[in-house]
């Protein structure tokens, strides 16, 4: 079979949110790149379908018109103004994402099916600098003489592409991570999640707050209900993989049990019906001490293990890492230096300087969430105290405020009303 030989500046493996964001910013810097994607879009991805302000921030930086489009397309995107935390004792608190000053302000977050959202991003990649191959599954990667090359097939056509740099954006089961960082192939901590779509779920917040129900048997994981457009809801459970293995938990049964028996949940599913089937996938949690690049490659999103260990948010972190990876690539190509030490400074150090504190706090929160009494305590007090609710609300935007959550004194003050 004759092989087509291609040359480019950057090879991106995977066209999910991480790969798409990298491509948007490479296009901004006029850097030619080739995207290799094993699926054919539109394609689904098992997810809770909730996008935070970080996702909006990256899209806005890529092109503010795209965020306007999102706000206008109410049939596809549901704006969300906040979050409901339900404690193991069933009590819940409603926390707006921001303390709104102007009533017309845009919602900080939104929900959208990944089938739709990822295709939305995929279509936005179109540019003179971006060439996309779909149905192109990467199986081997070679690094030699200052270059990186990938062989792939599309149907009966064989290709070889070579570039100075490669981006791994191929998700949780990343082959780029396994081939390029073999000693760290498995994430240090991970979770497993199940997702199902339902129609007819009732009792949503009037401003579409997303809902995390911290059920005792899932801690530090949770059961979620996220309202979607068209009368649909994304319903799921997430739990630490280590707990599933150690306690031999049947996650599907736990999810069903919550829907049928939990007093705070069951009546809302009285007339609900599942659409499609329950599906599962992994969430590789972030670890600020692990490398995310090396000689001639950078990893982004789930391939770099960047899911927030407390909230399970991965889309925003995937897109943010893609944006920073593109900036690092620009610096690397300008300096004609694609070595591991250069990329560590240009990418790893920049990413963890901006995100390390947030991820460390989330790791600590996830560990604290194992204590159901502590969770009950905070929610009980916040239920009664507007000041505490405002503090927690501020924590979504203010990292110094969120830092308080790591300190025992924060809980001491709540306990003794100081
Ligand atoms: C149950 C569950 C619920 C979640 N809920 C949320 C949520 O509500 N909000 C949130 O922000 N995050 C959530 N996440 C996390 C989020 O889904 C991921 O963090 C996010 O999808 C990561 O984006 P990515 O681009 O890195 O990877 P992906 O979205 O997985 O994209 C990777 C792409 O690479 C392609 N690919 C894979 N292998 C190859 C190969 N060998 N060759 C070529 N292409 C390849 C795939 O086809 C895919 O298109 C959830 C995850 C799970 C499992």
């Amino acid at each position: 079979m004759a092989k087509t030989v291609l040359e480019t500046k950057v090879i991106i493996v995977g066209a999910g949110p991480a790969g798409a964001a990298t491509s948007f910013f490479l296009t901004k810097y006029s850097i030619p790149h080739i995207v290799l994607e094993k699926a054919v879009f539109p394609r689904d991805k098992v997810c809770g379908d909730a996008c935070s302000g970080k996702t909006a921030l990256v899209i806005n930086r890529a092109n503010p018109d795209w965020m306007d489009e999102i706000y206008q397309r109410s049939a596809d995107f549901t704006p969300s103004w906040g979050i409901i935390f339900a404690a193991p004792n069933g009590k819940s608190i409603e926390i707006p994402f921001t303390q709104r000053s102007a009533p017309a302000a845009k919602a900080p977050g939104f929900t959208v099916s990944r089938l739709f959202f990822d295709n939305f991003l995929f279509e936005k990649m179109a540019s003179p600098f971006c060439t996309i191959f779909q149905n192109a599954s990467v199986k081997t990667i070679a690094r030699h003489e200052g270059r990186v090359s990938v062989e792939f097939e599309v149907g009966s056509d064989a290709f070889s592409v070579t570039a100075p740099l490669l981006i791994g954006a191929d998700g949780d089961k990343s082959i780029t991570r396994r081939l390029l960082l073999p000693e760290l192939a498995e994430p240090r901590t991970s979770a497993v999640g199940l997702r199902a779509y339902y129609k007819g779920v009732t009792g949503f917040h009037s401003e579409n707050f997303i809902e995390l129900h911290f059920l005792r048997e899932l801690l530090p994981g949770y059961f979620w209900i996220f309202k979607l457009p068209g009368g649909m809801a994304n319903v799921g459970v997430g739990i630490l993989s280590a707990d599933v293995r150690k306690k031999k938990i049947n996650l599907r049964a736990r999810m069903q049990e919550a829907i049928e028996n939990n007093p705070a949940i069951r009546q809302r599913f009285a007339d609900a019906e599942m659409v499609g089937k329950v599906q599962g996938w992994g969430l590789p949690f972030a670890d600020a001490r692990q490398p995310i690049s090396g000689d001639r490659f950078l990893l982004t999103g789930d391939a770099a293990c960047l899911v927030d260990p407390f909230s399970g948010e991965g889309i925003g972190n995937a897109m943010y890492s893609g944006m920073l990876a593109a900036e690092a690539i620009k610096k690397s190509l300008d300096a004609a230096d694609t070595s591991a030490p250069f990329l560590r400074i240009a990418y790893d150090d920049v990413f963890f300087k901006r995100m390390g504190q947030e991820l460390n706090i989330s790791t600590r929160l996830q560990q604290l969430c194992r204590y159901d009494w502590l969770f009950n305590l905070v929610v009980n007090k916040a239920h009664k105290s507007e000041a505490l609710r405002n503090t927690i609300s501020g924590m979504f935007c203010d990292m110094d405020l969120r830092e308080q959550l790591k300190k025992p004194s924060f809980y001491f003050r709540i306990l003794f009303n100081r």
Side-chain angles (χ1 to χ4, degrees):
M1 180 169 34
K3 192 178 283 177
T4 306
V5 177
L6 304 164
E7 284 265 343
T8 188
K9 291 287 185 197
V10 184
I11 302 165
I12 302 179
V13 184
T22 313
S23 169
F24 298 157
F25 291 91
L26 290 181
T27 287
K28 263 187 183 293
Y29 302 133
S30 309
I31 298 173
H33 53 284
I34 289 182
V35 181
L36 305 176
E37 166 56 54
K38 81 170 174 195
V40 176
F41 278 69
R43 64 100 181 89
D44 191 19
K45 157 76 178 78
V46 177
C47 188
D49 299 340
C51 294
S52 71
K54 209 181 291 145
T55 301
L57 177 140
V58 178
I59 296 177
N60 215 26
R61 279 202 200 158
N63 188 335
D65 291 348
W66 296 346
M67 269 322 292
D68 286 342
E69 209 183 311
I70 286 175
Y71 291 127
Q72 281 155 18
R73 294 174 76 156
S74 56
D76 303 310
F77 296 88
T78 298
S80 174
W81 291 97
I83 188 163
I84 295 174
F85 288 103
N89 64 5
K91 279 227 172 85
S92 58
I93 46 167
E94 297 174 359
I95 307 286
F97 286 135
T98 52
Q99 284 136 8
R100 263 168 286 159
S101 44
K106 288 170 177 165
F110 55 86
T111 54
V112 52
S113 81
R114 289 290 298 273
L115 183 70
F116 185 88
F117 183 58
D118 287 20
N119 195 51
F120 175 88
L121 298 178
F122 183 80
E123 287 177 352
K124 304 292 186 209
M125 281 199 287
S127 97
F129 298 98
C130 174
T131 307
I132 305 174
F133 289 89
Q134 300 191 71
N135 202 10
S137 183
V138 170
K139 301 212 164 51
T140 58
I141 299 168
R143 283 178 292 169
H144 44 80
E145 294 160 19
R147 315 279 289 166
V148 56
S149 63
V150 170
E151 314 264 320
F152 65 98
E153 287 169 16
V154 179
S156 56
D157 298 324
F159 297 85
S160 158
V161 56
T162 303
L165 283 164
L166 179 137
I167 292 280
D170 48 338
D172 176 45
K173 298 184 182 13
S174 168
I175 187 164
T176 55
R177 184 180 186 84
R178 263 182 286 138
L179 293 175
L180 300 170
L181 272 184
E183 65 286 6
L184 299 170
E186 294 303 320
R188 218 177 283 211
T189 328
S190 65
V192 56
L194 295 181
R195 172 217 70 184
Y197 287 115
Y198 276 83
K199 67 175 176 193
V201 180
T202 55
F204 287 106
H205 188 277
S206 59
E207 291 186 315
N208 311 323
F209 282 25
I210 60 170
E211 296 174 39
L212 309 186
H213 298 258
F214 287 85
L215 309 181
R216 185 169 287 110
E217 61 275 20
L218 296 174
L219 291 177
Y222 55 79
F223 175 95
W224 72 79
I225 312 175
F226 300 159
K227 187 179 173 190
L228 285 170
M232 298 293 290
N234 183 315
V235 177
V237 283
I239 187 168
L240 288 179
S241 311
D243 285 354
V244 174
R245 279 193 299 271
K246 202 162 80 192
K247 301 177 192 164
K248 299 195 171 31
I249 291 172
N250 181 338
L251 200 50
R252 204 174 279 252
R254 288 280 161 90
M255 180 168 158
Q256 203 50 38
E257 219 169 274
I259 290 171
E260 286 171 11
N261 302 324
N262 186 289
I265 295 170
R266 64 168 182 246
Q267 70 278 16
R268 300 178 55 194
F269 284 79
D271 299 314
E273 193 186 316
M274 197 195 291
V275 179
K277 54 183 185 178
V278 181
Q279 286 183 284
W281 198 255
L283 296 98
F285 285 156
D287 182 334
R289 291 157 302 171
Q290 290 204 342
I292 51 174
S293 68
D295 272 325
R296 279 160 265 150
F297 75 90
L298 301 92
L299 301 179
T300 54
D302 282 12
C305 300
L306 295 181
V307 174
D308 185 289
F310 173 63
S311 66
E313 177 190 356
I315 303 168
N317 291 356
M319 296 193 74
Y320 198 74
S321 62
M323 180 178 77
L324 296 187
E327 279 174 25
I329 288 168
K330 169 141 180 47
K331 287 184 197 153
S332 161
L333 293 177
D334 286 349
D337 190 343
T338 57
S339 68
F342 187 95
L343 294 174
R344 190 179 316 120
I345 293 168
Y347 180 51
D348 300 36
D349 289 358
V350 174
F351 181 87
F352 287 116
K353 190 159 179 241
R354 297 206 200 155
M355 290 290 302
Q357 188 196 15
E358 181 177 330
L359 295 172
N360 282 334
I361 294 169
S362 288
T363 302
R364 187 76 189 112
L365 279 181
Q366 185 228 83
Q367 288 156 356
L368 287 173
C369 272
R370 280 201 176 277
Y371 306 110
D372 58 340
W373 60 268
L374 189 64
F375 217 110
N376 291 337
L377 169 83
V378 175
V379 170
N380 279 347
K381 294 278 176 177
H383 204 67
K384 293 181 204 136
S385 158
E386 195 183 345
L388 180 56
R389 287 200 299 278
N390 285 341
T391 305
I392 297 174
S393 173
M395 285 167 178
F396 280 94
C397 314
D398 186 332
M399 275 307 126
D400 292 334
L401 216 49
R402 203 185 288 187
E403 183 79 27
Q404 290 187 31
L405 287 168
K406 277 166 64 180
K407 298 181 184 157
S409 57
F410 175 76
Y411 302 96
F412 182 84
R413 284 202 310 274
I414 291 177
L415 196 55
F416 298 105
N417 286 327
R418 299 277 161 82

